[in-house]
Amino acid sequence: MKKVSNSIIQQLQIVFSFSILLLFFSLLASYYSTQKLINNSELVNHTNKVLIEAEAIMSHMKDAETGQRGFLITSDPQFLKPYEGAYEKTTDSYNSLVELDLRQPRAAEKPP
């Protein structure tokens, strides 16, 4: 067997060191990308919760409007049940919406 020269060993060490360094930078980039993805997912989840609460408020208001309209047309107090319950439900949904906004105010500040 021939002896491997020192220059070949040095070249292999340089290539190996460069490969390790490249893998390390790739690891850091992957970690940073994953963290950004997690943060963005949390913001999306928060936005979805806000949209759900806003839709709930609109639904409760429609129920109240429908109940009021039914009562005005028929004078039947049975139609007031959705109207009477809508205020409490709307208030609860509004308070949940305000709480969501206070929990994560940066979601409103950060543009998409």
Side-chain angles (χ1 to χ4, degrees), residues 7 10 17-18 22 29 33 35 40 45 51 56-57 60 63 71 80 87-88 93 98 102 105 108:
S7 66
Q10 287 177 343
S17 298
F18 180 74
L22 188 62
S33 177
Q35 292 303 315
N40 288 337
N45 287 338
L51 290 174
I57 290 172
H60 300 319
D63 291 345
F71 176 75
L80 289 178
Y87 178 77
E88 182 179 324
S93 291
V98 169
L102 292 177

Side-chain angles (χ1 to χ4, degrees), residues 7-55:
S7 66
I8 294 176
I9 291 176
Q10 287 177 343
Q11 288 176 354
L12 287 174
Q13 287 175 341
I14 290 172
V15 168
F16 182 74
S17 298
F18 180 74
S19 298
I20 294 294
L21 189 62
L22 188 62
L23 283 174
F24 180 73
F25 283 128
S26 176
L27 172 74
L28 289 178
S30 295
Y31 178 78
Y32 176 76
S33 177
T34 303
Q35 292 303 315
K36 291 285 279 184
L37 179 66
I38 290 170
N39 289 338
N40 288 337
S41 294
E42 289 173 358
L43 289 175
V44 168
N45 287 338
H46 178 263
T47 300
N48 287 335
K49 289 177 185 177
V50 168
L51 290 174
I52 288 170
E53 286 301 326
E55 288 177 13

Side-chain angles (χ1 to χ4, degrees), residues 60-61 64 82-92:
H60 300 319
M61 295 300 289
Y83 177 79
E84 292 167 351
Y87 178 77
E88 182 179 324
K89 292 176 184 177
T90 303
T91 304
D92 290 342

